[in-house]
Amino acid sequence: MNTASDIIGMRLKKIRNNRNLSLYETAQLTGVSKPMLGQIERGQSSPTVNVLWKIATGLKVPLSSLLEKPSSEYAIATLQEKNIIVEDDGRMKAYPLFAYDPVRSVESFFINFEAQCHHTSEKHSDGVEEYIFVLQGTLQLVLNEKKIIVREKQAIRFRADIRHEYHNPFDEKCTVYNMIFYPNE
């Protein structure tokens, strides 16, 4: 699978299968005929930019996601200072580990909450869920005005389509692993 047609076909098929869509359903969503979609998936047709835009728009994925080369069987992430997200005067530092992937519909972060950190997150899109595993310290979450304590070596899953807050009102640093799952449209 070295040609652009092969890569596009493989990516299209993977997105379609992850969403449990038939070729017919995909044709309905994209306005691209079922035979053309089948030819694209088999690498027998090299779609025009207009056809790629129809597919990307209909499946609600970035056009670039159809052009990405297949990833390796595994990936190792390292905390990097260059992409760090800093909030609350430096008391919260979020390190992106794996950027949002439209095929997997997930992104993940390693986050440090220094003592007395307070971060408020507005609600995400409908159906978005967050999973947090506390590696060190204690985290206080506020979900719909309800305070929840998550201790070291505990995890929590919650709907993130509500306003939510992360607090570390304690004296020691809190470190977490955070995964955000986005629903398939």
Side-chain angles (χ1 to χ4, degrees):
M1 286 198 188
N2 296 332
T3 70
S5 296
D6 290 334
I7 292 168
I8 292 167
M10 187 271 318
R11 297 295 290 171
L12 172 59
K13 187 171 186 171
K14 189 169 189 173
I15 292 168
R16 186 174 64 78
N17 287 339
N18 283 347
R19 296 181 182 186
N20 295 318
L21 293 171
S22 68
L23 280 173
Y24 174 79
E25 291 167 325
T26 305
Q28 295 288 85
L29 289 171
T30 63
V32 177
S33 73
K34 181 179 162 183
M36 174 58 80
L37 291 169
Q39 290 174 0
I40 292 169
E41 283 190 3
R42 292 187 300 276
Q44 296 172 337
S45 177
S46 196
T48 65
V49 172
N50 286 337
V51 169
L52 284 176
W53 272 114
K54 283 181 167 184
I55 293 169
T57 301
L59 294 175
K60 297 180 182 172
V61 297
L63 178 70
S64 62
S65 71
L66 296 170
L67 305 172
E68 294 172 352
K69 291 183 178 179
S71 58
S72 63
E73 293 181 18
Y74 64 89
I76 296 175
T78 303
L79 300 185
Q80 297 181 11
E81 294 290 330
K82 68 179 180 178
N83 295 325
I84 190 172
I85 300 164
V86 179
E87 296 283 334
D88 193 27
D89 295 323
R91 287 189 290 266
M92 180 187 127
K93 293 181 181 174
Y95 300 84
L97 293 173
F98 297 102
Y100 173 72
D101 180 334
V103 174
R104 292 177 181 88
S105 299
V106 67
E107 63 184 336
S108 60
F109 298 89
F110 178 87
I111 306 174
N112 283 326
F113 297 100
E114 295 296 333
Q116 307 310 314
C117 177
H118 179 134
H119 174 72
T120 300
S121 180
E122 293 301 320
K123 68 180 193 167
H124 298 292
S125 301
D126 288 344
V128 172
E129 288 187 336
E130 287 195 34
Y131 292 66
I132 295 176
F133 180 77
V134 178
L135 301 166
Q136 173 189 352
T138 304
L139 182 65
Q140 180 183 70
L141 288 165
V142 180
L143 308 174
N144 275 337
E145 299 184 27
K146 181 179 181 181
K147 291 181 181 179
I148 300 163
I149 299 291
V150 186
R151 300 188 190 303
E152 192 168 306
K153 298 183 183 171
Q154 288 185 325
I156 184 171
R157 177 187 74 211
F158 62 92
R159 290 187 59 116
D161 53 4
I162 58 172
R163 186 172 184 263
H164 47 285
E165 301 174 31
Y166 307 90
H167 295 258
N168 181 5
F170 309 103
D171 292 330
E172 66 176 35
K173 176 171 68 172
C174 177
T175 304
V176 306
Y177 179 68
N178 175 238
M179 294 181 67
I180 304 173
F181 288 91
Y182 298 88
N184 289 326
E185 303 268 336

